[in-house]
Amino acid sequence: MTNTSQPSARPPIRLTSSDGIIASIPTLVGFTPADSLVIITLAGSRVGLTLRVDLPPAGEETAAVAAHAARTIDRHRLNAQLAAVLVVIGEDVRADLVDAVTEHLATVGVPVRQSLHTSAIAAGMPWQCLCDCGEVGILDDPATSVLAVTAAATTGQVSYRSREELAAALDSRIDTGTAHRRAELIGALDGAGAVVQGAVLEFGARVLSGRLDQLDENTIVGIGAALLQPTRRDALVSWTAEITEPGVMRAAWLRMVQQLPGEARAYAATLCAIAALLDGDGATANVALDVAEELRPGLSLARLVSQITARGITPTALRELIRDGVR
């Protein structure tokens, strides 16, 4: 499993200390990773692309992970002079993986400035530098780091304690009876253009005013119907790209993932993934796409977004791609 994140939805991020780098990872990635390699690219001390991968078994798979990481970072460098910091999270320092990634990054002109290790990212955990400096330390609480507090205040970003907790945020919040009733109501709205359009307008007003908790049954059902109609669904994708305030559309579609049933929920998860990618949040995008695939395997829009995610497209490029698609 690979996650990428881009910092475009946040103010410029600068990291100046080893413990600060490790403490920043839950915010940069979107959750607190375990048994992972995190590669943080830096232009000077400013953070660029952050890449997280599961720790691979030793051997050929390690080389494949290292090569993939180097290709992804090279594709996003935008002619900038980059360096990288590697952070291994797990019981083993994984010198083989650090060496492989360092070697592959060197082939694309990205030197590794520092390699760090900690068994877990949590307050009180020891960390060490894997370079010759011998630097060691104890982590403060990552949740109280300057980056975490700033991200929460400026973008509303939530840093989850694990990928499992992130996935749980996209769980359905409705019981079987409600899901069945809403599915029937959504089906009954097929062709009811005025009703669906009214629901879309009401949804937009609630989203922009920060009143997602006040969505009524008619609006939820109407949005479900809109997601099943290609023209209206395309308009909702376009609108998602036009709202540039960080976190707004991600929260809106997360709410719909929690409240809609069936195929409509699969499309809501796909739009949640798009909104997350536009916020530079690859972790939420991947989890949302897993939800869509589980609900409706092979959904064409979800497949397209999965391909975009795999290529690690930047939020700016994705926004332009969506805008060009509706012109």
Side-chain angles (χ1 to χ4, degrees):
M1 177 68 67
T2 302
N3 304 115
T4 60
S5 68
Q6 299 275 358
S8 64
R10 313 182 187 102
I13 299 167
R14 298 184 184 278
L15 300 176
T16 57
S17 66
S18 300
D19 54 346
I21 288 171
I22 299 173
S24 74
I25 287 174
T27 302
L28 292 175
V29 173
F31 61 92
T32 301
D35 297 321
S36 301
L37 171 70
V38 177
I39 306 173
I40 303 171
T41 63
L42 303 168
S45 61
R46 181 172 174 174
V47 173
L49 178 77
T50 299
L51 182 70
R52 186 211 68 86
V53 296
D54 293 337
L55 291 178
E60 291 183 5
E61 195 168 340
T62 292
V65 165
H68 169 72
R71 287 194 301 269
T72 301
I73 289 169
D74 188 42
R75 193 162 55 235
H76 289 85
R77 62 189 306 153
L78 301 176
N79 299 318
Q81 293 297 313
L82 296 179
V85 173
L86 312 183
V87 182
V88 177
I89 306 155
E91 292 303 318
D92 191 355
V93 298
R94 289 302 303 269
D96 62 321
L97 180 58
V98 170
D99 289 345
V101 172
T102 300
E103 180 180 341
H104 279 84
L105 286 177
T107 67
V108 296
V110 179
V112 172
R113 180 185 297 178
Q114 189 177 27
S115 299
L116 302 165
H117 170 260
T118 184
S119 56
I121 301 178
M125 293 302 298
W127 61 267
Q128 63 177 318
C129 180
L130 301 178
C131 307
D132 294 333
C133 66
E135 188 180 9
V136 296
I138 301 295
L139 287 175
D140 291 329
D141 185 356
T144 62
S145 70
V146 172
L147 180 56
V149 173
T150 301
T154 59
T155 71
Q157 178 180 341
V158 176
S159 182
Y160 295 93
R161 289 176 293 181
S162 65
R163 192 177 189 278
E164 290 71 25
E165 186 178 70
L166 169 56
L170 279 87
D171 284 346
S172 177
R173 298 293 193 268
I174 56 177
D175 58 32
T176 302
T178 302
H180 182 70
R181 184 184 72 251
R182 286 181 179 173
E184 289 187 336
L185 291 171
I186 288 169
L189 285 179
D190 185 29
V195 175
V196 174
Q197 182 61 22
V200 170
L201 292 174
E202 179 64 17
F203 179 62
R206 298 290 183 182
V207 169
L208 295 177
S209 63
R211 294 179 293 161
L212 283 171
D213 59 336
Q214 298 177 21
L215 292 173
D216 60 25
E217 186 79 355
N218 291 336
T219 303
I220 293 170
V221 168
I223 290 298
L227 287 169
L228 299 185
Q229 299 171 11
T231 300
R232 295 190 189 279
R233 183 169 64 244
D234 289 348
L236 288 170
V237 171
S238 178
W239 181 58
T240 298
E242 290 303 316
I243 303 301
T244 58
E245 184 178 348
V248 169
M249 295 311 301
R250 181 177 41 181
W253 291 118
L254 175 61
R255 183 75 174 207
M256 289 297 99
V257 175
Q258 296 170 344
Q259 295 296 322
L260 286 170
E263 187 174 359
R265 183 169 181 241
Y267 278 116
T270 305
L271 267 71
C272 184
I274 293 172
L277 290 175
L278 290 167
D279 280 347
D281 180 0
T284 298
N286 278 312
V287 172
L289 289 169
D290 287 347
V291 172
E293 178 65 17
E294 182 179 347
L295 289 165
R296 289 294 186 274
L299 204 66
S300 58
L301 180 59
R303 188 166 58 245
L304 175 60
V305 178
S306 293
Q307 293 169 352
I308 290 171
T309 305
R311 290 186 58 82
I313 189 170
T314 66
T316 299
L318 176 58
R319 203 176 301 276
E320 288 303 314
L321 183 66
I322 294 172
R323 287 171 175 168
D324 288 345
V326 297
R327 287 181 185 140

